Amino acid sequence: LEDLALRHTAYGVRPEDYAPVADALSTMIQTCCRSMPDPDCSAAWMSAYQHLADTMIALGYPHDDMENVPQAS
């Protein structure tokens, strides 16, 4: 995961870029899972993504102040 985070950083991905991806993931889950509306499943996906994003941000930007990074809505 550290290698992936460092590659994202090298590509120019900034911590604030992760929130729009989370929003897109949420929309995709809602769109693709209309026939199986399960709020627990959606919440689990979003929790997993947020954990992944938080970890990658911490690894890719260990010295940045993360208090002001937007979270997924």
Side-chain angles (χ1 to χ4, degrees), residues 15 19-20 27 39 47 55:
T27 299
S47 177
T55 301

Side-chain angles (χ1 to χ4, degrees), residues 38-48:
D38 184 351
D40 291 337
C41 181
S42 179
W45 272 105
M46 296 314 299
S47 177

Side-chain angles (χ1 to χ4, degrees), residues 22-69:
D23 292 340
L25 176 63
S26 177
T27 299
M28 186 273 309
I29 291 168
Q30 292 171 10
T31 301
C32 293
C33 298
R34 284 184 199 184
S35 62
M36 302 180 315
D38 184 351
D40 291 337
C41 181
S42 179
W45 272 105
M46 296 314 299
S47 177
Y49 175 79
Q50 194 61 58
H51 177 73
L52 180 67
D54 290 344
T55 301
M56 288 181 62
I57 290 168
L59 292 169
Y61 298 91
H63 302 294
D64 286 2
D65 174 14
M66 293 294 109
E67 287 183 19
N68 297 317
V69 175

